[in-house]
Amino acid sequence: MKTALFTNVAVAALLSTALAPTAFADTVAAADPVADEAITEVIVYGQGQSRQIQAVKASELALEAPGTSPLKAIDKLPGVTFQSADPFGAYEWSTRIGVRGFNQNQMGFTLDGVPLGDMSYGNHNGLHISRAITNEDVARVELTQGAGSLSTASTSNLGGTLQFFSRDPSYDMGGELAGTVGSEAMHRLYGRFETGEIAQLNNLRAYVSIADQKTDKWKGGSEQKQRQISAKAVMPVGEGELSGFFNRSERREQDYQDMSFDMISRLGRDWDNFQPNWALANQVGAAYQQAAIQSALTGVPVAPVYPAPVGTVDDAYYYGAGVRDDNLGALSLSYPLTDTISFSGSVYKHTNEGQGLWVTPYQPSP
């Protein structure tokens, strides 16, 4: 659903009129002059917005399949397009999002005010939202179409901003446990424990959650795995609030082969990398290497002859894979200084370890 933010106006009107009772006579008693006065009071509350803001709440995010990227959930909003090679929208290499003609490289993304970069694969200035937080822990997503607010911590928000907000810990002790199974040997387990308010720690409240997901690729071989551990705490500080979160993501994913229109027409939409067919991958590599050697010896270009249905050396590799371990943490303080002035600030840290792997026919194995 979309939620448009406009200036809210509340009007309260009080009209009172009192007339003296009519006597059973030819004359009517004069009315009280005070009762004839109409008293009208108009009270206006609200805050104006110079841009359109749309929001997706936790109740709407919960309608998506567990493990779905929060990015995919906003695809329902007007003017938003989203695409991905996997059904969860979490395979980062293939995900693309656009808002009214602006692509993701021209938009700003934040999580609780922490900049996330531009959602590109392996971006240098942030972290993909699919690794930053699990979708069960997202409270809401706000999309600002058009140039983002100056208060948004981003250097690429010309085309708008997507702000993700994590859920706050509950005031009561409790928790949640959920399991999901699906096709392609997909299974996922999610659990969260809520501490509730802890009076001995100045009414601090917190939660810890963990999600573990594994699924086979819907085409080709191998699997995609991810484990996420999240924690968040909120504590009152006078009239203000101190909050912090820590999220860890461990991701092991096998790539889908990039497909062109020509490849789809020649090989079909279910074409993918060769894994686990090592024999076919080895034949393609041998054909490429033999043609390269003959070309070098004779000085005449020799075209490789590949086994059907392969037409070019780049139709498929044996496999491609990504290994990613990320830690993202932040500490935020908001505090009112006066009735009209408040302070808010955050410090955060992101560490990233990983590697990308491609097994191609270009270099022969030793």
Side-chain angles (χ1 to χ4, degrees):
M1 295 180 64
K2 66 176 182 178
T3 303
L5 219 67
F6 299 98
T7 303
N8 298 315
V9 179
V11 179
L14 177 62
L15 301 175
S16 60
T17 305
L19 297 176
T22 304
F24 292 94
D26 294 336
T27 59
V28 179
D32 185 351
V34 178
D36 282 338
E37 296 179 3
I39 301 175
T40 303
E41 183 181 15
V42 178
I43 305 174
V44 178
Y45 299 96
Q47 178 181 353
Q49 291 285 347
S50 60
R51 54 183 57 83
Q52 184 185 31
I53 299 179
Q54 298 166 304
V56 178
K57 300 179 181 179
S59 57
E60 298 169 86
L61 293 170
L63 298 178
E64 302 290 338
T68 298
S69 169
L71 278 179
K72 186 177 181 180
I74 69 165
D75 187 39
K76 65 184 70 175
L77 297 177
V80 178
T81 59
F82 177 83
Q83 63 183 40
S84 179
D86 75 312
F88 295 101
Y91 174 48
E92 296 174 27
W93 176 259
S94 67
T95 56
R96 297 291 184 273
I97 186 170
V99 177
R100 295 188 176 180
F102 290 96
N103 62 46
Q104 60 196 42
N105 305 101
Q106 299 166 309
M107 300 179 61
F109 301 84
T110 65
L111 171 62
D112 290 345
V114 174
L116 296 177
D118 58 10
M119 296 297 110
S120 297
Y121 183 79
N123 67 60
H124 67 281
N125 59 349
L127 178 65
H128 199 279
I129 187 62
S130 297
R131 284 185 276 156
I133 189 172
T134 185
N135 68 324
E136 287 94 341
D137 292 337
V138 178
R140 70 183 190 281
V141 183
E142 291 186 356
L143 169 64
T144 303
Q145 301 197 23
S149 170
L150 294 177
S151 62
T152 304
S154 173
T155 58
S156 56
N157 60 353
L158 175 65
T161 58
L162 262 171
Q163 299 182 80
F164 301 89
F165 299 90
S166 62
R167 65 186 305 159
D168 282 340
S170 173
Y171 287 92
D172 302 315
M173 180 183 291
E176 179 182 349
L177 184 64
T180 307
V181 295
S183 60
E184 309 299 338
M186 180 268 177
H187 59 273
R188 187 174 195 272
L189 183 65
Y190 170 82
R192 184 180 71 254
F193 171 71
E194 302 270 6
T195 66
E197 281 190 318
I198 305 176
Q200 296 85 348
L201 297 177
N202 195 34
N203 291 329
L204 177 143
R205 62 189 197 276
Y207 67 76
V208 177
S209 69
I210 182 169
D212 189 87
Q213 179 170 328
K214 180 179 177 181
T215 181
D216 291 344
K217 294 169 56 179
W218 67 270
K219 64 177 182 178
S222 198
E223 58 193 14
Q224 294 180 326
K225 299 184 290 185
Q226 183 175 19
R227 177 180 292 121
Q228 291 177 282
I229 303 171
S230 303
K232 184 176 181 179
V234 175
M235 182 176 68
V237 178
E239 297 181 358
E241 185 177 82
L242 180 67
S243 64
F245 71 81
F246 174 80
N247 297 324
R248 175 171 175 80
S249 170
E250 300 171 357
R251 193 175 184 89
R252 309 290 185 265
E253 62 183 11
Q254 297 289 323
D255 293 336
Y256 290 92
Q257 173 68 322
D258 295 336
M259 301 287 286
S260 66
F261 284 118
D262 172 68
M263 292 174 63
I264 295 174
S265 62
R266 288 189 295 109
L267 305 168
R269 64 183 295 271
D270 290 333
W271 180 257
D272 197 33
N273 288 322
F274 294 128
Q275 191 183 37
N277 192 343
W278 171 254
L280 181 57
N282 197 44
Q283 291 178 43
V284 172
Y288 175 81
Q289 295 297 329
Q290 290 171 6
I293 293 173
Q294 292 178 15
S295 298
L297 293 176
T298 62
V300 178
V302 177
V305 179
Y306 298 113
V310 179
T312 71
V313 69
D314 290 316
D315 276 354
Y317 302 145
Y318 181 63
Y319 77 80
V323 179
R324 301 286 184 269
D325 289 337
D326 294 275
N327 296 306
L328 178 65
L331 189 65
S332 303
L333 174 66
S334 58
Y335 197 89
L337 302 177
T338 67
D339 292 339
T340 56
I341 301 176
S342 63
F343 167 83
S344 63
S346 300
V347 294
Y348 70 96
K349 183 177 182 180
H350 170 218
T351 62
N352 183 337
E353 294 181 346
Q355 57 183 343
L357 306 171
W358 292 270
V359 180
T360 73
Y362 298 113
Q363 283 293 117
S365 300

